Amino acid sequence: MRWPLVWWRRSGKRLMPFDDRPAVALLLTIATTEAEAVTAGLEEEGIPFVVERADDVSDLVSAAHDAAVRSRLGVGLAMQGLQACLHLKTLPRERPLLRCTVADVEEARLLGGDAARVVKGLPLRFPRLRDPNKEEFAT
Amino acid sequence: MRAQRLVVGVDIGNSTTEACLAEVSESGAIQYLGSWLTRTTGVKGTVANLAGVRAAVQGALHRGGLPRSRQPDLVLINEATPVISGIAMETITETIITESTMMGHNPATPGGDGLGVGRTVAFRELAGVLAGDRVIAVIGRDVNFTVAAAGLSAALARGVDVQGAIVQRDDARLITNRLPHPLPVVDEVAGIDRVPLGMEAAVEVALPGHTIRHLSNPYGLASLFGLDAEQTRRIAPVSRALIGLRSAVVVRTPAGEVRDRRIPAGVVTLHGERSQQAVDVADGADAIMKALHRVWPLEDAQGEAGTNVGGMLARVRESMAELHGLQHHEVRISDLLAVNTFVPREMRGGLSGEFALENAVGLAAMVRTSRGPMERVAQALGEKLGCPVRVGGVEAEMALRGALTTPGTRAPLALLDLGGGSTDAAYVSAAGDVRTVHVAGAGELVTHLIQSELGLDDPEAAENLKRYPLAKVESPFQIRVEDGSVRFFSEPLPAALFARVVTLEGGRPLAPAPGSHSVEYLRQVRREAKRKVFVVNALRALEQVAPGNNLRLLEFVVLLGGSALDFEIPDMVSAASAAYGFVCGAGNIRSLEGPRNAVATGLVAAFGEAPYAV
């Protein structure tokens, strides 16, 4: 049993998926070992994902949000080299869940795992999450 | 003589200093103006309390609409018997895994499902295994999952009966997804180097939502490894340790087992008026409390040198002796409370950080002297503050007077002061006779129990878990509170709190709870800790001051003190006392202070009755 890579086809200006299963949308510009580790993290946690290729991403956070909107699970991960952004459909565009530079393959694996854990409703494991003590809360 | 005097009653407590400001006329008519509360500075009963007293007085003046610089005509402080308390924890059991015979760490994402039995073989040796051999592959972190899957697939293709795998990395599903058919794989085995090789082993993985059936059953192990009755009896603790898990590994080593060992924790000697009893802490809290009951009333207690309990009792004695210039033998342990608890400890010999809940005993002890140095303190404070400072009365009596300002109360009345270091009870009869008692075990012990039972390093985290209700963060915008209600937020919560259990202050997430326990589990630990200390001690203390030591003869009980402000402790105490028929609830001093300010108010109230006595 393998998770197939799915390619998006362009129809004019719109992207249309071949495969419409509930999956995390992973947007990549280059295939790096870190990107592979991200997919390994998702696979180990058992959540389906769909890989999209893009030539270049000017705004990583926006791209991640768009991917999250396309994803039926509402989770999008955009990666450009070592820059990564994990976003949710429900979050405001400018406030992603995670925005980071992945230090190595181990962290990339954790990031992929976290994308899956968001779907599963489990706490995140990535090491440098925003400190809750420095956040403001509105009721 | 001025008509109206500005009087401040000041209660110097162990942790807080409270003030009550009033105008008292010649005839003793009192007009309360305001109150204030601040942290006690220095040790209670010393001149170091000055800063706290000054802050409390000024705060009360400000609250009363007067300038902070205004000098009161009189400051009244309480005569308090200093109490020093201490807490010690002793772990009394230990679980040891010998010969690395089992793995029961229950990783989150094991691979495949089913049972595999075979000889343990290192991955690099797999190529040399003969066709038909039953093996369990042992795969270290140096092997990438694609290489691992390829190696296992190749061995299977050759006819080797690979029945399962034990993997160091978190790669179980990555490997099983790439095999021709799934195999049970247990991953996240940190100590893979210590897995015995060349031995018969069994790997079992259950489907999601299920638990293992064979390895958690001693007869299952007997069937797999061909054990006789005696061997089965010896291996039974291994299967017991694996009950309820989704995956496990058992390696049949020559003498491997899981051993529960009782740790000798030292003897505590309890001295009563007429007899004495020595009891081993390792016998548990019930044995200690039974022995205490037999020698009651307690004259003194000693612990064995070199033990946690012995060290704590000696420290508490020494603190009191030093503080009040007494000899060691002049200081007596006046009460102790033993509580059964548990501590999560890593099992010795575990390969992947397996934890076991070990039994432990928590012990709180208390020393008291009969007379405090408050006259001297009053004089020194008076000099520093520049106004007369007098000792206005005995703490317990002042507390009772203050308690009686709670609407709906009358004498005979009992009060329970639920503090940090001790739980105190006082009773005033209709005739005005007062009985008081201090028992060991209060707020600090509750925090210690929570800290110990959750294996927390940080006492502040335990304090938060004690004080605040819990909620689970279900999405970036909503939390589900422990009572089932849901709160929404218009701004997303930070990623660090996602899916975590958090403590709530004023309905807002305060901090994530450490560890990965559920809301229900943390709630249970919190409430049990409060029950084991405060419900037990409330009844224990009230019994000692009640008429004829009979709780049923009490009519009104008022709860005071910091822990009476806790969101569930007063209710728990009230509910537990329902059987005895007395009215019980948190006090409401002067109809507005809640359970605070009783002693400070009482000092003013007592003064009002005899304004020229001081």
Side-chain angles (χ1 to χ4, degrees):
Chain A
M1 185 172 60
R2 283 170 206 272
W3 302 117
L5 297 183
V6 170
W7 297 92
W8 296 83
R9 56 192 167 90
R10 282 196 176 280
S11 171
K13 284 218 164 135
R14 285 180 45 212
L15 285 175
M16 289 174 56
F18 282 109
D19 190 329
D20 197 29
R21 77 177 77 191
V24 167
L26 175 59
L27 180 74
L28 301 174
T29 52
I30 29 173
T32 55
T33 43
E34 284 79 15
E36 232 182 271
V38 167
T39 63
L42 278 156
E43 187 187 332
E44 179 65 21
E45 292 285 347
I47 296 294
F49 57 91
V50 157
V51 178
E52 312 166 14
R53 283 293 173 83
D55 296 318
D56 181 45
V57 175
S58 49
D59 184 349
L60 198 66
V61 172
S62 250
H65 193 261
D66 290 338
V69 168
R70 282 197 295 278
S71 153
R72 273 182 65 195
L73 291 177
V75 178
L77 225 175
M79 262 186 102
Q80 177 147 266
L82 294 178
Q83 299 294 317
C85 178
L86 176 59
H87 221 313
L88 305 181
K89 178 168 74 173
T90 49
L91 289 173
R93 179 171 286 267
E94 70 284 357
R95 296 188 55 173
L97 197 64
L98 229 88
R99 167 82 182 88
C100 59
T101 308
V102 166
D104 54 25
V105 165
E106 298 295 339
E107 281 198 2
R109 173 80 92 91
L110 285 177
L111 182 63
D114 276 357
R117 290 169 81 88
V118 168
V119 174
K120 289 161 92 168
L122 295 175
L124 307 183
R125 294 204 274 210
F126 197 78
R128 290 183 301 284
L129 300 174
R130 284 187 286 171
D131 183 352
N133 292 324
K134 301 201 177 104
E135 296 292 328
E136 299 286 336
F137 300 101
T139 45
Chain B
M1 194 73 75
R2 251 197 311 212
Q4 293 276 76
R5 282 201 277 176
L6 200 62
V7 176
V8 188
V10 177
D11 169 22
I12 308 173
N14 278 309
S15 38
T16 53
T17 297
E18 303 184 350
C20 174
L21 176 75
E23 261 181 1
V24 184
S25 74
E26 281 178 359
S27 55
I30 304 172
Q31 200 201 340
Y32 292 101
L33 298 175
S35 66
W36 196 247
L37 175 153
T38 184
R39 263 205 159 296
T40 297
T41 53
V43 175
K44 164 172 145 170
T46 63
V47 182
N49 299 148
L50 170 69
V53 170
R54 183 181 278 134
V57 169
Q58 287 177 352
L61 284 163
H62 181 71
R63 266 294 185 77
L66 297 168
R68 285 180 204 269
S69 53
R70 173 76 193 271
Q71 287 285 53
D73 295 312
L74 179 62
V75 171
L76 297 161
I77 63 174
N78 54 301
E79 175 69 63
T81 53
V83 164
I84 292 182
S85 54
I87 296 170
M89 293 283 180
E90 291 282 7
T91 310
I92 58 177
T93 62
E94 188 183 28
T95 312
I96 304 168
I97 305 172
T98 61
E99 299 193 356
S100 304
T101 197
M102 71 135 186
M103 280 147 256
H105 57 297
N106 213 26
T109 55
D113 68 270
L115 179 66
V117 186
R119 198 177 77 249
T120 46
V121 167
F123 180 76
R124 67 190 81 263
E125 312 294 332
L126 207 53
V129 174
L130 301 171
D133 272 8
R134 289 186 324 164
V135 296
I136 302 283
V138 177
I139 306 175
R141 69 178 309 109
D142 51 310
V143 182
N144 171 273
F145 61 85
T146 35
V147 172
L152 292 173
S153 302
L156 284 165
R158 276 195 306 117
V160 175
D161 189 1
V162 183
Q163 291 245 325
I166 303 168
V167 176
Q168 186 167 28
R169 286 179 174 271
D170 185 6
D171 281 354
R173 296 222 194 132
L174 290 164
I175 295 174
T176 49
N177 285 350
R178 288 160 179 75
L179 297 175
H181 57 86
L183 295 175
V185 176
V186 169
D187 60 358
E188 299 191 68
V189 178
I192 201 102
D193 309 314
R194 285 177 289 138
V195 174
L197 296 174
M199 310 245 182
E200 197 72 356
V203 177
E204 186 178 1
V205 176
L207 289 167
H210 294 251
T211 59
I212 54 178
R213 291 274 76 103
H214 297 93
L215 302 187
S216 56
N217 178 353
Y219 304 127
L221 290 178
S223 314
L224 291 171
F225 297 134
L227 307 177
D228 64 30
E230 274 317 303
Q231 290 169 324
T232 304
R233 194 214 295 256
R234 286 203 62 195
I235 211 171
V238 172
S239 56
R240 203 180 311 122
L242 300 174
I243 289 172
L245 304 182
R246 202 191 137 194
S247 66
V249 176
V250 176
V251 182
R252 180 78 189 119
T253 58
E257 56 177 358
V258 170
R259 260 193 284 144
D260 279 322
R261 200 174 74 95
R262 256 206 130 77
I263 307 176
V267 164
V268 170
T269 311
L270 306 171
H271 300 274
E273 267 173 15
R274 287 178 295 276
S275 63
Q276 74 183 49
Q277 286 264 321
V279 56
D280 192 337
V281 174
D283 289 343
D286 300 327
I288 298 171
M289 294 311 277
K290 255 204 199 99
L292 184 64
H293 191 77
R294 274 199 289 271
V295 306
W296 196 259
L298 187 69
E299 291 259 304
D300 201 1
Q302 259 117 28
E304 208 173 295
T307 63
N308 286 345
V309 170
M312 181 272 287
L313 291 174
R315 257 194 323 272
V316 163
R317 201 189 293 273
E318 204 172 294
S319 293
M320 181 62 95
E322 216 181 283
L323 210 57
H324 298 285
L326 298 164
Q327 300 294 320
H328 268 226
H329 62 264
E330 286 179 291
V331 178
R332 304 218 180 281
I333 306 284
S334 51
D335 187 50
L336 47 90
L337 176 71
V339 169
N340 281 325
T341 181
F342 48 88
V343 177
R345 281 271 162 93
E346 234 184 88
M347 293 162 99
R348 270 214 287 155
L351 289 180
S352 359
E354 287 94 338
F355 270 79
L357 284 179
E358 304 295 1
N359 293 332
V361 173
L363 212 105
M366 209 178 74
V367 289
R368 198 154 58 92
T369 63
S370 51
R371 187 137 177 88
M374 294 315 271
E375 292 285 356
R376 275 186 294 140
V377 174
Q379 223 174 343
L381 287 177
E383 283 166 27
K384 297 281 168 93
L385 285 173
C387 63
V389 178
R390 305 272 182 272
V391 174
V394 174
E395 184 174 335
E397 291 177 23
M398 300 300 106
L400 284 162
R401 276 174 202 276
L404 283 164
T405 64
T406 299
T409 58
R410 57 137 175 82
L413 175 101
L415 65 80
L416 267 172
D417 187 341
L418 310 174
S422 65
T423 303
D424 312 325
Y427 174 79
V428 61
S429 69
D433 303 313
V434 171
R435 294 168 72 176
T436 64
V437 74
H438 301 268
V439 298
E444 284 162 15
L445 181 60
V446 175
T447 307
H448 256 87
L449 289 175
I450 293 173
Q451 188 179 349
S452 143
E453 291 177 12
L454 298 174
L456 303 176
D457 295 317
D458 181 12
E460 205 180 302
E463 191 74 28
N464 275 344
L465 286 168
K466 174 177 85 166
R467 273 204 215 158
Y468 301 115
L470 299 161
K472 175 94 190 280
V473 177
E474 290 190 337
S475 84
F477 297 95
Q478 80 183 50
I479 61 175
R480 186 172 303 264
V481 187
E482 60 177 74
D483 65 1
S485 63
V486 177
R487 280 193 67 105
F488 285 95
F489 298 86
S490 48
E491 294 294 305
L493 298 167
L497 295 185
F498 180 79
R500 302 289 303 272
V501 175
V502 295
T503 46
L504 289 183
E505 188 185 9
R508 300 149 130 245
L510 182 66
S516 52
H517 300 290
S518 66
V519 168
E520 292 72 30
Y521 184 73
L522 292 172
R523 179 172 188 271
Q524 193 204 320
V525 167
R526 179 189 79 215
R527 287 178 67 89
E528 260 306 284
K530 291 175 177 175
R531 189 196 63 76
K532 280 190 274 207
V533 174
F534 278 122
V535 172
V536 165
N537 263 354
L539 299 176
R540 202 161 74 102
L542 283 175
E543 214 170 41
Q544 293 178 51
V545 298
N549 292 356
N550 185 348
L551 289 171
R552 281 172 222 279
L553 297 180
L554 291 171
E555 295 177 53
F556 293 92
V557 173
V558 170
L559 305 177
L560 302 173
S563 293
L565 286 165
D566 181 89
F567 70 99
E568 54 193 357
I569 291 172
D571 292 340
M572 290 172 77
V573 172
S574 300
S577 53
Y580 304 99
F582 50 78
V583 179
C584 180
N588 191 11
I589 307 306
R590 285 185 282 111
S591 309
L592 48 81
E593 298 278 5
R596 285 256 189 230
N597 216 260
V599 173
T601 299
L603 284 163
V604 174
F607 177 73
E609 289 175 20
Y612 297 106
V614 179

